């Protein structure tokens, strides 16, 4: 009975967290970006067997990602990197090109 109550309270806690973070980052990020970051952090933990600490863990990781977003010149870069799964691909591609050029010239 207690587990069902805790499981039912998690989505409400995540929504409350999203609202708090949206208010906190209102001057820096759009509500859509904040919501997406919170959902990305919540998704891996949504099926946790013990949901007691899920909202706390989601808040911690969400705040960390949002802080990183606000330090970047283009706040949507981190979201795009996670969305397409090619995080840091341009730097990796440049390193591969350099490595290829060096091995061909040797």
């Amino acid at each position: 009975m207690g587990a069902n109550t805790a499981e039912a309270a998690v989505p409400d806690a995540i929504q409350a967290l999203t609202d708090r973070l949206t208010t906190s980052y209102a001057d820096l990020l759009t509500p859509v970006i904040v919501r997406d970051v919170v959902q990305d952090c919540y998704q891996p933990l949504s099926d946790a067997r013990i949901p007691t600490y899920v909202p706390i863990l989601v808040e911690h990781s969400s705040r960390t990602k949002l802080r990183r977003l606000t330090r970047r010149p283009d706040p949507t870069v981190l979201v795009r990197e996670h969305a397409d799964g090619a995080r840091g691909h341009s730097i990796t591609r440049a390193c591969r090109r350099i490595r290829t050029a060096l091995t061909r010239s040797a």
Side-chain angles (χ1 to χ4, degrees):
M1 184 181 215
N4 292 337
T5 305
E7 289 173 10
V10 170
D12 294 336
I14 298 302
Q15 183 58 48
L17 170 65
T18 303
D19 295 341
R20 280 196 321 271
L21 291 176
T22 300
T23 303
S24 297
Y25 287 90
D27 296 338
L28 302 170
L29 299 169
T30 65
V32 173
I33 291 175
V34 174
R35 185 197 67 223
D36 289 347
V37 167
V38 172
Q39 286 303 312
D40 285 346
C41 294
Y42 173 60
Q43 193 61 34
L45 301 172
S46 62
D47 294 330
R49 288 185 345 168
I50 303 173
T52 306
Y53 298 107
V54 168
I56 295 166
L57 295 170
V58 171
E59 181 169 3
H60 178 72
S61 59
S62 296
R63 285 189 183 277
T64 301
K65 287 184 180 184
L66 291 169
R67 272 188 237 116
R68 273 193 255 148
L69 280 174
T70 56
R71 287 188 203 135
R72 291 174 177 246
D74 179 8
T76 61
V77 171
L78 186 64
V79 175
R80 285 196 308 258
E81 288 174 353
H82 286 292
D84 66 6
R87 187 174 188 187
H89 69 282
S90 60
I91 295 172
T92 305
R93 190 178 320 142
C95 289
R96 285 183 188 151
R97 287 181 187 161
I98 291 170
R99 186 179 321 131
T100 304
L102 290 174
T103 55
R104 284 184 185 166
S105 63

